[in-house]
Structures are given as structure tokens and as C-alpha cells.
Amino acid sequence: ERRDVFLDRLAHPGEMDVCAVAQAFQPLVPEAWGWLARWMHDLVSQRLAGTSRFFQGRERIAAAVAQQADMAALMAFQRELSDAARWLRHPLHSQLLLESWLTRYTQIAGGRA
């Protein structure tokens, strides 16, 4: 259920209140990172092959979001998220970490990269 709520927010990047979402999911940063990383994989996959691997049933929305985004920015952010896995165990403020990822996502997926 939490995953579905998070994915619903990702499905509408232009409407996302980044601070509110980051605050709501702050206790779940490792899970949120995983959902966001898999979502990004599906967006890239939708652009390249028209398929989704992780979130079956959300293919149409993933394809729509992916079409609005710059492909190079999608791939760069996917790499950034992969590298960011090391921060999941760092004692940084987790809400700020999640806010930074969501801000970057909304810039890319909202076509403002």
C-alpha cells in the first residue's frame, strides 16, 4: 500500500509536493529509494523497448511520464540513484536526501531537466 501511494506521486511529477512526499516517506528512505530506482528503470525501459520490468499494471503511466522526459537525463538520473545507494546507511538527514532525489526526478520527468 505504501509503495502504491509513492508510485502514485511519481506518476504525476508536475503535481508533486516534494517536501510533503519526502516528509511522509522519511522513515522509509531505503524503501523509497528502491521504488524510485525501479521506477526509473521502468521509465528508461519504456523509452528504449516499450516495456516495464518492475511495475506491471503501470506501464501506460510510465510510458507517458517517460515520453515527457529527456532520455539522457533519465539515464543520468538512473546512474545517480545507483550511486546514491551508499548514502542509505549514512547518518545524513534522510528527509533532505529524499527531497533531493524527488526534486531531481520532478525536474526530469516534468520535462524541466
Side-chain angles (χ1 to χ4, degrees), residues 19-48:
C19 293
V21 174
Q23 184 175 13
F25 287 89
Q26 183 268 332
L28 305 169
V29 168
E31 289 176 88
W33 172 84
W35 299 328
L36 181 56
R38 288 189 295 275
W39 179 252
M40 291 305 299
H41 175 47
D42 278 1
L43 294 185
V44 170
S45 181
Q46 280 293 332
R47 283 291 295 272
L48 294 175

Side-chain angles (χ1 to χ4, degrees), residues 45-87:
S45 181
Q46 280 293 332
R47 283 291 295 272
L48 294 175
T51 63
S52 292
R53 176 178 178 194
F54 294 105
F55 300 114
Q56 307 303 315
R58 292 184 181 262
E59 293 93 340
R60 287 179 42 193
I61 192 70
V65 171
Q67 288 305 314
Q68 295 179 52
D70 176 74
M71 186 61 185
L74 282 174
M75 294 180 78
F77 185 51
Q78 186 179 25
R79 283 188 304 275
E80 288 174 34
L81 282 174
S82 179
D83 292 342
R86 69 176 181 256
W87 295 109

